[in-house]
Amino acid sequence: MRDPIPPSASSAAPPAASAPERNLASPLSGRAVFVLVFLPFALGHFLSSLMRTVNATLAPQLVAALALTPGQLGLLTSAFFLAFALAQLPVGMALDRWGPAKVQLPMLLLAGVGALAFAGGQTFGQLLVARAVIGLGLGGCFMSAVKAISSWIAPARLPSVQGYLIAVGGLGAAAATLPVRLALQYMDWRGLFLWLAAAAAIIGLLIRALSPPQPSAASKAGLREAMRAVYRHPAFREVASLVLIPHTVFFGIQGLWISRWLSDVARYPDDAVTYLLYLGMAAVIFGAIAVGMITEWTGRRGIAPITVAAAGVALFVGVQLAFVCNWRPSYQLLSVLFTLVGTVTGIEYTIVAQSLPGALTGRAATCLNLLIFIGAFAVQAGFGLVVGCWRPDLLGHYPAPAYQVAFGALVLMQLPGLIWFVRRRRRNPVKLNSCPTIS
């Protein structure tokens, strides 16, 4: 990672760099920013992604232990998203007031308590509450990382650096597949959550110990005024209308239903499903880095990041149409393409971070996460309810038409945003680098 670019250089940067200035006057070298800022917060995002997606690997064990229906499995797993969403408003305010390091330690300790409760849970209700506590404690991991990075990195560098951050999340999601499967040879899922609880506490202490003092960028605006400014900002509204629903679909399906689709429709055994999940989550790493590099490359050529997002969303919807059509030539390829192409939805964080004042980046990430994770909860739980409308066979597999209908509903939800984007861009292109001033 190169040294942060001083604010005075922003006028010579490409269009994406002309966003509001951040407080980048820092004595830290690029290496120090990597070790003290990026790495500790990225570990928190790694753990958050791992715990968000681990139920996809543990689903057979959880179903066997508790005799769960698809609706119950979807609700249990999606409780993470609902609690995550509820954490966004208070966490966003805390990030802007006290800084990421002071917020992350108690949050990660809370996640550790939730993991301990999950390890000891005996009923569906107990596991549901424990899963929600985990989501609540991990609710600030990505936001705190975005806030810390955007405070020390010049706006022109944000697409690639945030791409690396999302790639680390991909590593966490990949760790929830084959590595977790291997760990289950030496312990059960309860023992696994004991280790995850310890990891949450250690990472929280590491962030608190290593993070340098955060540059001051506190907003004097109240919560209602700040949130109103975020939601009314044209860049926020345009990116949300285009990318928000695809992002919720990516999170909701990636974290659970891809594995069940591979088992029920493609009829792969558990070992093959775990391997394909690993390939899919590993694809997130390459996809996130590629999206960041492509966004910077197109930005130097005058192409706005929102245009890159639109192309990616169109491709992502195309992949889902293949699920609707039950494209048989390569089920394996479809499962990997879903996660590879779906990483483009993470570009909305970059667009918002480049377009809003530095004092509002925490609350801007809050607004996005609040909407994304409420939507992911609805997608993950709703998908299970749709699939549960069909009866399973004697082996417990649900039929292909159940998944085709569920994926078809998701496609219909995403098409309006893509169509409206194309129509708006033809009539009245939005300048994404303008932003209101809040004092």
Side-chain angles (χ1 to χ4, degrees), residues 103-394:
V103 172
Q104 273 299 83
L105 176 58
M107 294 292 290
L108 285 170
L109 291 177
L110 179 61
V113 171
L116 288 175
F118 199 93
Q122 299 296 327
T123 66
F124 170 73
Q126 290 173 349
L127 293 183
L128 184 67
V129 173
R131 177 76 174 168
V133 173
I134 293 172
L136 191 66
L138 297 175
C141 285
F142 186 76
M143 279 198 304
S144 65
V146 170
K147 177 70 174 178
I149 290 171
S150 63
S151 298
W152 294 95
I153 300 296
R157 292 278 293 148
L158 282 178
S160 60
V161 176
Q162 290 188 5
Y164 300 145
L165 176 64
I166 295 173
V168 173
L171 282 173
T177 56
L178 277 181
V180 165
R181 183 82 175 177
L182 293 174
L184 293 176
Q185 297 179 7
Y186 303 96
M187 66 186 79
D188 62 4
W189 59 271
R190 297 183 187 277
L192 174 67
F193 272 88
L194 292 176
W195 282 100
L196 292 175
I202 291 171
I203 293 173
L205 292 170
L206 189 66
I207 289 174
R208 189 68 181 93
L210 293 182
S211 183
Q214 193 75 7
S216 176
S219 173
K220 298 179 182 179
L223 174 63
R224 182 177 300 179
E225 182 183 353
M227 289 301 183
R228 186 183 296 117
V230 170
Y231 280 114
R232 288 182 175 179
H233 193 285
F236 183 91
R237 295 174 65 177
E238 181 163 44
V239 73
S241 65
L242 173 66
V243 189
L244 177 63
I245 294 179
H247 205 155
T248 65
V249 169
F250 176 60
F251 274 0
I253 302 303
Q254 170 213 28
L256 177 63
W257 293 113
I258 284 292
S259 70
R260 305 316 300 155
W261 178 84
L262 287 169
S263 177
D264 290 349
V265 178
R267 297 299 179 95
Y268 291 121
D270 288 347
D271 288 344
V273 170
T274 303
Y275 177 70
L276 288 170
L277 286 177
Y278 174 78
L279 291 181
M281 302 308 179
V284 173
I285 303 168
F286 299 102
I289 295 174
V291 168
M293 295 175 64
I294 290 171
T295 303
E296 285 195 2
W297 182 82
T298 54
R300 290 193 294 268
R301 285 154 180 80
I303 300 175
I306 193 70
T307 304
V308 178
V313 167
L315 186 57
F316 186 51
V317 171
V319 172
Q320 294 169 65
L321 283 172
F323 282 91
V324 175
C325 298
N326 199 24
W327 191 54
R328 293 180 177 274
S330 183
Y331 284 142
Q332 304 99 316
L333 180 61
L334 272 185
S335 66
V336 175
L337 279 177
F338 182 89
T339 51
L340 176 65
V341 179
T343 56
V344 75
T345 56
I347 197 175
E348 60 187 332
Y349 291 104
T350 296
I351 297 173
V352 169
Q354 288 180 332
S355 304
L356 271 69
L360 292 180
T361 54
R363 295 179 194 183
T366 290
C367 295
L368 277 179
N369 279 343
L370 179 64
L371 297 173
I372 289 169
F373 285 97
I374 288 177
F377 165 77
V379 167
Q380 199 166 79
F383 198 95
L385 292 175
V386 172
V387 172
C389 292
W390 278 257
R391 291 184 178 180
D393 59 20
L394 295 178

Side-chain angles (χ1 to χ4, degrees), residues 24-153:
L24 297 173
S26 166
L28 297 180
S29 66
R31 181 175 300 177
V33 171
F34 173 78
V35 173
L36 301 179
V37 179
F38 180 85
L39 189 57
F41 286 101
L43 285 175
H45 183 47
F46 174 95
L47 180 68
S48 176
S49 298
L50 190 161
M51 297 182 77
R52 187 185 76 231
T53 57
V54 70
N55 276 16
T57 301
L58 299 179
Q61 289 86 351
L62 295 174
V63 170
L66 300 172
L68 301 177
T69 66
Q72 289 177 317
L73 180 62
L75 181 61
L76 174 62
T77 305
S78 63
F80 179 100
F81 291 122
L82 181 60
F84 203 106
L86 293 176
Q88 298 312 298
L89 288 177
V91 170
M93 293 176 61
L95 286 175
D96 284 333
R97 182 170 182 177
W98 292 299
K102 292 181 180 179
V103 172
Q104 273 299 83
L105 176 58
M107 294 292 290
L108 285 170
L109 291 177
L110 179 61
V113 171
L116 288 175
F118 199 93
Q122 299 296 327
T123 66
F124 170 73
Q126 290 173 349
L127 293 183
L128 184 67
V129 173
R131 177 76 174 168
V133 173
I134 293 172
L136 191 66
L138 297 175
C141 285
F142 186 76
M143 279 198 304
S144 65
V146 170
K147 177 70 174 178
I149 290 171
S150 63
S151 298
W152 294 95
I153 300 296

